[in-house]
Amino acid sequence: MLTLHNVGVRFGDKVAVAEVSLQLPEGEVLAVLGPSGCGKSTLLRAIAGLEELATGTVSVDGDDLAGVPTHRRGFALLFQDGQLFRHLDVAGNLAYPLRLRGASRGVIAERVEELLETVGLPGYGSRSVTTLSGGEQQRVALARALAAAPRLLLLDEPLSALDRALRERLAGDLRGILTGTGTTALLVTHDHDEAFTLADRMAVMFDGRIVQQGPTQQVWTHPADRQVAEFIGFSTFLKGAAAEVVRDAAHVESEDGTLALRRSALRVDDSGPLEGTVRAAAASSDAVRVELDLDGVGRVEGLAEQHATLRPGDRVRVRVDAAGMAEL
Ligand code: ADP
Ligand code: MG
């Protein structure tokens, strides 16, 4: 549906986006994941027609969009801070894009109620947007973006302004809403968990360039190199004999390359096959993060159960969860 071919954007001498080629099939969600400043928003704005292309083409169903102004592209944009009209109530915000398209009062009223149902806010139509929580405001902004049934929804870090618990819950809801409505969407984010939850396909961007793309699950389990692996949450990298000890404990075949481990790959567990010494332990919301000196392996990061009371110097046993491992 959406095809980017060799897209580049420059600001004076600065190359913000370079040689980006991506394809987004109808009904799928693609996440472009990358650190702050790598060019994600610029790429999104270029797709929307808000930045001029220095090179390449943006096309939809084979039609080049060069020269097609933003409001004629049939896309909707959703930003971090929903940008609701504060002088209108919730229904007024949702009605706005429908009124622009000349929908009748009856159609608008019906569609507004339907959209509020979709985003889990039935009956909120007459609420002033200033009385809504941050999460509710983002839901209304999403409903407004979906109101005109855009052929492509562009999302720029849509959940980044929300606190963590809400962000995790809303990410799951947003996934359900996008797939439930069959919306084709391109999301840009710096949060790898958000990309993982929301997207069918993932493209990793560094310094204006896409360095890896593929089905989300595949990128997640087969990062192309160490830089990508670190960015998507791998924190321990082992080679040679140290790596073999861990592979062996996980009952996976021996390999030559670098073994990458997420923190979740190494679990403090009395029945585990490995042994080590605790160097540091810090509680987080759902587990204890530990730094260990694993016998025969060296310094690694792992997890322990939330109730575990661990102190530096404690001897512990460790099991390996192969789901958190990748070979580079
Ligand atoms: P991201 O969204 O990944 O954080 P941006 O697309 O906002 O990154 O920015 C990419 C790079 O382009 C940054 O170095 C930024 O400073 C630069 N940039 C963005 N917009 C402009 C602009 N209008 N003029 C000049 N430089 C810009
Ligand atoms: Mg940005």
Side-chain angles (χ1 to χ4, degrees):
M1 188 251 166
L2 175 74
T3 304
L4 306 188
H5 177 69
N6 192 32
V7 167
V9 180
R10 278 190 214 117
F11 297 113
D13 286 346
K14 164 139 185 106
V15 176
V17 172
E19 295 171 27
V20 170
S21 294
L22 289 173
Q23 289 205 344
L24 175 53
E26 176 118 41
E28 288 198 11
V29 180
L30 168 68
V32 174
L33 175 69
S36 177
C38 76
K40 302 180 297 296
S41 295
T42 304
L43 177 64
L44 210 63
R45 290 171 53 80
I47 295 168
L50 296 164
E51 299 289 354
E52 207 177 313
L53 301 188
T55 64
T57 55
V58 174
S59 49
V60 168
D61 298 332
D63 295 331
D64 187 343
L65 298 185
V68 178
T70 300
H71 65 280
R72 291 267 165 76
R73 294 193 177 198
F75 301 168
L77 281 136
L78 178 61
F79 297 100
Q80 200 177 93
D81 57 340
Q83 301 182 336
L84 295 172
F85 305 122
R86 303 188 80 75
H87 62 287
L88 297 176
D89 63 12
V90 168
N93 269 276
L94 303 193
Y96 185 80
L98 299 167
R99 207 172 287 132
L100 281 184
R101 304 178 117 211
S104 71
R105 233 169 227 245
V107 168
I108 290 177
E110 204 172 301
R111 182 87 176 114
V112 164
E113 221 23 72
E114 189 184 296
L115 287 161
L116 288 174
E117 287 279 344
T118 302
V119 298
L121 297 175
Y124 269 58
S126 59
R127 288 278 293 272
S128 155
V129 301
T130 56
T131 67
L132 303 177
S133 70
E136 288 167 344
Q137 289 190 22
Q138 255 337 51
R139 286 173 194 267
V140 173
L142 172 64
R144 189 180 60 182
L146 293 171
R151 55 179 178 169
L152 175 66
L153 178 61
L154 301 171
L155 305 134
D156 193 342
E157 315 241 11
L159 306 176
S160 295
L162 307 174
D163 61 59
R164 173 177 275 279
L166 186 58
R167 195 162 70 224
E168 283 171 9
R169 189 147 39 89
L170 212 52
D173 291 354
L174 182 53
R175 169 79 193 164
I177 291 165
L178 295 178
T179 51
T181 53
T183 304
T184 309
L186 193 151
L187 160 87
V188 305
T189 179
H190 70 277
D191 183 321
H192 59 80
D193 286 323
E194 199 170 297
F196 183 72
T197 306
L198 285 168
D200 303 294
R201 296 179 62 79
M202 197 153 109
V204 182
M205 189 176 198
F206 290 132
D207 224 1
R209 292 169 189 274
I210 301 298
V211 295
Q212 184 177 10
Q213 57 176 306
T216 299
Q217 189 65 40
Q218 191 195 320
V219 175
W220 205 249
T221 53
H222 296 88
D225 58 30
R226 179 160 174 158
Q227 194 186 17
V228 173
E230 282 180 353
F231 195 69
I232 64 174
F234 290 88
S235 54
T236 299
F237 298 86
L238 302 172
K239 284 188 179 152
E244 284 298 292
V245 170
V246 175
R247 290 188 189 103
D248 203 36
H251 306 292
V252 302
E253 276 179 44
S254 147
E255 294 220 21
D256 278 338
T258 299
L259 176 66
L261 301 171
R262 293 180 186 281
R263 206 180 259 288
S264 61
L266 297 173
R267 304 269 185 171
V268 172
D269 181 336
D270 288 341
S271 62
L274 301 176
E275 276 191 83
T277 305
V278 175
R279 293 182 58 98
S284 69
S285 58
D286 49 5
V288 175
R289 297 165 163 235
V290 290
E291 212 181 294
L292 303 166
D293 255 330
L294 209 52
D295 297 356
V297 177
R299 182 87 63 90
V300 298
E301 293 187 354
L303 290 179
E305 293 294 320
Q306 178 146 45
H307 54 77
T309 47
L310 297 170
R311 288 189 186 77
D314 285 354
R315 291 290 289 169
V316 291
R317 300 195 73 92
V318 174
R319 93 183 135 77
V320 183
D321 181 352
M325 295 172 35
E327 299 288 346
L328 301 183

